[in-house]
Amino acid sequence: MKSSQRIGFIKFLIGTILGIVLVLIPFNFDNGMDTILFHYLKLFIAANKTVIQYLLVLCVTLSAVLSLYALINKNSFLHSKRLCKKLFVTSPFYVVNRFFGALVSILCLFKIGPEFIISADTGTAMLDLATQLSILVPMMLLFQTLILEFGAMEFLGELIGFIVKPLFKVSEICAVNIISAWVGPGNAAILGTQDLFEKGYFTVKEAAVIGSQFATSSIGWVVLVSSVLGLMDNFGLIFLGITLIGVILGFITVRIPPVKNYPNTYVDGSTESSIKSNSSGSKLKTSYINASERANSVTLSNFTSKIDNMSFYVFWLTPIIIFWGAAALMISIYTPVLSWISLPVEMILNLAGVPDASVTASAIMSGFADNYLPVILGEALPSIESKAIIAMMSILQLIFMSEIATLLKSCKLVNKFSDIIIIFLERTFISLPFVIIFVKLFIS
């Protein structure tokens, strides 16, 4: 055993364990269950919310103004500086999106304008959410480097990758990203997946599979949803059910369009990965060698390179998330569209004898607007069965306009907006029967 491999393996163990403890494992705190990283970040956000919100609105406004300037002046410094070009040079469509995002942010911050825009259930809700996420997501992107780039991908990819390959038709190295995406925040998982795709780890199809099938809202979000709906006594069963049905969903959806049709090519257009691993000897030995070599290659730049994606989230994605999230909430709350599109789900729930089928169906379909809307609509329901179905569906649907859908499209992990709608509908109608059966057998 080489000395350099021993040192690398120690680095791998320290980095990975530290990352798992900080980022993935929920602990009991005075204000409920959460990960260590999120618990202390949320305390910081709560103590400085006003300042953070003003700074965020300033960033969103700058994003709109600078992107318009870059659009008008093709010779500006914004086109010549690498990071500025990534953040501010975009199409007219996204410039308009940024200005609408800035407008919603300013109106909600200063409480001026129509009630349907600045209401606590629409624009203000999105501004509050964006304020929290502007700290949580960039910090998650930074700290998940410990899990994703200290050898865990190589170690687990060799050991358990043989499971994900036949199940989800992805390479072994995707295993740790799938696990991380499932238990960690979906927003950070999508940005992390985009980063690793650009580095040559994943194909177009693999990045689409991870982003659209496994980037849930984190185990902490499952805890939050269960707590608000009064289901904490069933938290273990709910998370088990979500995981089992999530595996079934992934198995099915990667074999049908649109995900099935994505190409198995890497960022450079090739069909062979530029990331090479040592595959001699036993799986355990190979895992050890690959993880050690990966950990030994880590430098400060592995962390500082995250500044790009951290900035990208705040300046590029946040204005769009605020605008589309607020718009989706307005449509859901102030128009009858939700009750119309909920009718097929209501029919299924009625056939299964689920209580309060109409409200439950509306809550389930509202998840396309925002993943917290189902919780709001289902909180007052008296039936544990209905609440459990809403809780599980709000996680399993995964796609919601206020964030994940926008991220998938903006990060180009999903090609077309129509694909996003199809994936949402597939996940909804494939998972619903399994969720109903699981809840009736184990929870109600």
Side-chain angles (χ1 to χ4, degrees), residues 388-409:
I389 290 171
I390 290 169
M392 293 178 68
M393 289 298 297
S394 73
I395 305 298
L396 286 167
Q397 285 171 317
L398 195 144
I399 308 287
F400 53 97
M401 280 301 302
S402 62
E403 188 181 22
I404 297 299
T406 304
L407 278 169
L408 287 171
K409 187 67 178 70

Side-chain angles (χ1 to χ4, degrees), residues 30 70 73 95-96 112 164-165 169 186 198 208 216 218 226 248 326 337 394 405 410 431:
D30 292 339
N73 187 353
V95 172
V96 172
I112 53 176
V164 302
K165 190 170 185 177
K169 295 197 169 190
E198 291 174 350
T216 62
S218 86
S226 300
I248 296 170
V337 173
S394 73
S410 299
S431 62

Side-chain angles (χ1 to χ4, degrees), residues 206-222:
E206 287 168 347
V209 167
I210 295 169
S212 68
Q213 304 302 321
F214 299 102
T216 62
S217 301
S218 86
I219 191 170
W221 185 260
V222 182

Side-chain angles (χ1 to χ4, degrees), residues 24 144 147-148 152-153 156-157 160-161 163-186 189-190 192-193 196 202 205-216 218 239 243 246-247 250-251 254 398:
L24 294 185
Q144 73 176 7
I147 300 171
L148 298 179
M153 287 184 67
L156 285 179
I160 67 170
I163 298 173
V164 302
K165 190 170 185 177
L167 278 178
F168 310 125
K169 295 197 169 190
V170 294
S171 61
E172 292 90 340
I173 205 167
C174 295
V176 72
N177 232 49
I178 287 173
I179 296 169
S180 178
W182 192 254
V183 297
I190 289 170
T193 298
L196 291 169
F202 306 138
K205 185 174 185 177
E206 287 168 347
V209 167
I210 295 169
S212 68
Q213 304 302 321
F214 299 102
T216 62
S218 86
F239 190 73
T243 302
V247 170
F251 179 84
V254 300
L398 195 144

Side-chain angles (χ1 to χ4, degrees), residues 59 144 159 168 260 266 277 298 304 314 325 364 371 379 387 405 411 432 437:
C59 289
Q144 73 176 7
L159 281 183
F168 310 125
K260 175 189 175 182
Y266 290 88
S277 63
V298 173
T304 57
V314 173
I364 289 170
N371 64 340
E379 187 178 3
K387 285 183 174 181
C411 294
L432 183 58
I437 292 169

Side-chain angles (χ1 to χ4, degrees), residues 212-342:
S212 68
Q213 304 302 321
F214 299 102
T216 62
S217 301
S218 86
I219 191 170
W221 185 260
V222 182
V223 171
L224 175 66
V225 169
S226 300
S227 176
V228 173
L229 291 175
L231 299 170
M232 279 307 294
D233 289 344
N234 297 295
F235 169 74
L237 281 171
I238 287 172
F239 190 73
L240 174 63
I242 288 167
T243 302
L244 291 176
I245 296 168
V247 170
I248 296 170
L249 259 179
F251 179 84
I252 295 171
T253 52
V254 300
R255 288 166 169 80
I256 59 177
V259 174
K260 175 189 175 182
N261 298 332
Y262 280 61
N264 262 314
T265 54
Y266 290 88
V267 65
D268 59 359
S270 69
T271 56
E272 295 292 328
S273 174
S274 59
I275 307 298
K276 303 300 179 184
S277 63
N278 187 323
S279 57
S280 60
S282 68
K283 280 189 174 294
L284 187 61
K285 182 181 178 183
T286 303
S287 298
Y288 167 82
I289 293 171
N290 290 343
S292 300
E293 289 178 351
R294 175 66 169 142
N296 274 331
S297 71
V298 173
T299 64
L300 183 63
S301 66
N302 289 78
F303 292 90
T304 57
S305 65
K306 300 301 175 290
I307 292 172
D308 275 28
N309 276 345
M310 292 164 75
S311 305
F312 183 80
Y313 185 85
V314 173
F315 286 96
W316 214 108
L317 292 173
T318 298
I320 299 169
I321 288 170
I322 291 172
F323 167 54
W324 280 106
L329 289 171
M330 289 175 215
I331 292 169
S332 296
I333 293 171
Y334 293 104
T335 74
V337 173
L338 182 59
S339 60
W340 296 341
I341 64 175
S342 302

